[in-house]
Amino acid sequence: MKGKLIVFEGVEGAGKTTQMQRLIHWLQASWFLKVGVVATREPGGTELGKQLRHLLLKQDSGELVSEMAELLMYAADRAQHVETFLKPELSKGTIVLCDRFTDSTIAYQGYGRGLKLNLIKQLNEIATGGLQSDLTLWLDINVEAGLARVRARGGRDRIEQADLKFHRLVQQGFGELAEENKSRIVRINGDRPEHEVAQEIQTMVTRRLEDWGYSNNPHTEH
Ligand code: Z5A
């Protein structure tokens, strides 16, 4: 596949959406890329995905969604996203920035909910057909700080102890994944002012783009 897949991961409020937008603007303004740069997300990167996202994240459902049903809905969202969006874009050579991908399922459904990691890895493999990120930026932030940001934005008015326990397990999941996948997952300290986080991401992405053969010279191939 010719393009590159750069994924943003982290707990709620880590700053993924904010930093992804900053990175896309910076790439468009500072690099003479001859390929497209697009932003997408999971769940919700396709029309089917938007419907699944609504079903997954709505809070007023009368019926409790089982953990296995939830896992399979994230897998369905991913299978559709990979097949109809990610693969076609990557084969055109596009640089794709994606808000969450396979590591979120391991962290949330595996570490958070306690579903079997082997099963989740198998499902990730089926849903992606083996597609992995070329680089994952894990925005590491203290769980309470992330949830406080979400609360300040008006997303929640109360944080239950059970929520905190769940998010700490998710955070542990991201930490262990980063430890096991040192070349793919890069830890970025997200607990700093936005512009400082953006600067570190730009340095990291510059290094990777150069390693991948992209050049910032308008007369070269990419
Ligand atoms: N999920 C799953 O369980 N399994 C899966 O396989 C997948 C996902 C793929 C997606 O919801 C949910 O799906 C998520 C995991 C689950 N649920 N949870 N929990 P989402 O996409 O809507 O939620 P999110 O990814 O957690 O988004 P978020 O809460 O918006 O977080 P964020 O994108 O990382 O943060 P942000 O929107 O950029 O920033 C949050 C606020 O903080 C905002 O007001 C910013 O202005 C502010 N902010 C950002 N950066 C800073 C800094 N540096 N300093 C201060 N304030 C900042």
Side-chain angles (χ1 to χ4, degrees), residues 31-36 93 214-215 217-222:
W31 279 75
F32 297 99
L33 292 169
K34 296 194 176 70
V35 293
Y214 292 84
S215 158
N217 178 336
H219 305 297
T220 52
E221 206 185 305
H222 267 298

Side-chain angles (χ1 to χ4, degrees), residues 11-18 42-43 53 57 74 78 99-101 104-105 108-109 149-150 153 167 190 192-194 197:
V11 293
E12 262 186 280
K16 298 177 300 298
T17 314
T18 306
E42 289 195 1
R53 181 182 173 90
L57 303 184
Y74 281 114
R78 180 159 306 130
D99 195 340
R100 298 192 181 280
F101 196 50
S104 273
T105 322
Y108 280 86
Q109 279 63 53
R149 284 181 188 172
V150 175
R153 189 178 57 185
H167 287 287
R192 290 175 297 165
E194 256 183 66
V197 180

Side-chain angles (χ1 to χ4, degrees), residues 1-209:
M1 214 143 301
K2 293 182 293 179
K4 294 291 168 199
L5 177 59
I6 301 178
V7 172
F8 286 72
E9 291 283 11
V11 293
E12 262 186 280
K16 298 177 300 298
T17 314
T18 306
Q19 293 300 331
M20 231 175 79
Q21 289 311 319
R22 277 181 168 260
L23 184 64
I24 203 163
H25 289 134
W26 176 79
L27 282 170
Q28 284 162 346
S30 316
W31 279 75
F32 297 99
L33 292 169
K34 296 194 176 70
V35 293
V37 185
V38 297
T40 185
R41 69 174 174 184
E42 289 195 1
T46 62
E47 282 308 313
L48 174 66
K50 282 180 193 147
Q51 295 179 45
L52 288 169
R53 181 182 173 90
H54 175 70
L55 291 173
L56 281 161
L57 303 184
K58 71 176 180 178
Q59 294 183 345
D60 55 351
S61 165
E63 182 182 33
L64 200 65
V65 176
S66 81
E67 291 176 348
M68 188 53 69
E70 182 192 63
L71 171 65
L72 292 171
M73 283 164 82
Y74 281 114
D77 167 74
R78 180 159 306 130
Q80 181 74 0
H81 193 213
V82 168
E83 207 48 42
T84 67
F85 185 81
L86 294 180
K87 279 188 179 169
E89 286 297 333
L90 292 167
S91 38
K92 280 193 280 177
T94 306
I95 296 179
V96 182
L97 309 186
C98 187
D99 195 340
R100 298 192 181 280
F101 196 50
T102 47
D103 295 323
S104 273
T105 322
I106 296 178
Y108 280 86
Q109 279 63 53
Y111 284 78
R113 301 259 189 256
L115 295 178
K116 287 201 175 82
L117 293 182
N118 275 345
L119 170 69
I120 296 172
K121 285 177 187 167
Q122 272 176 5
L123 267 179
N124 275 344
E125 180 69 27
I126 293 168
T128 60
L131 177 70
Q132 286 197 339
S133 72
D134 295 285
L135 170 65
T136 293
L137 299 162
W138 168 40
L139 298 186
D140 183 14
I141 182 175
N142 173 285
V143 165
E144 284 87 342
L147 292 175
R149 284 181 188 172
V150 175
R151 202 172 43 216
R153 189 178 57 185
R156 292 164 177 256
D157 48 10
R158 213 149 62 95
I159 295 169
E160 315 270 354
Q161 277 308 312
D163 282 342
L164 274 179
K165 190 172 166 218
F166 174 77
H167 287 287
R168 286 197 186 113
L169 287 169
V170 171
Q171 177 76 333
Q172 181 194 341
F174 283 124
E176 291 185 16
L177 279 164
E179 198 55 40
E180 286 161 18
N181 299 275
K182 287 203 169 101
S183 60
R184 183 175 63 83
I185 304 180
V186 172
R187 176 188 174 274
I188 306 278
N189 175 5
D191 226 340
R192 290 175 297 165
E194 256 183 66
H195 69 277
E196 280 185 30
V197 180
Q199 193 94 54
E200 187 178 343
I201 290 175
Q202 287 164 15
T203 305
M204 181 55 58
V205 169
T206 298
R207 204 175 300 155
R208 288 299 173 111
L209 287 174

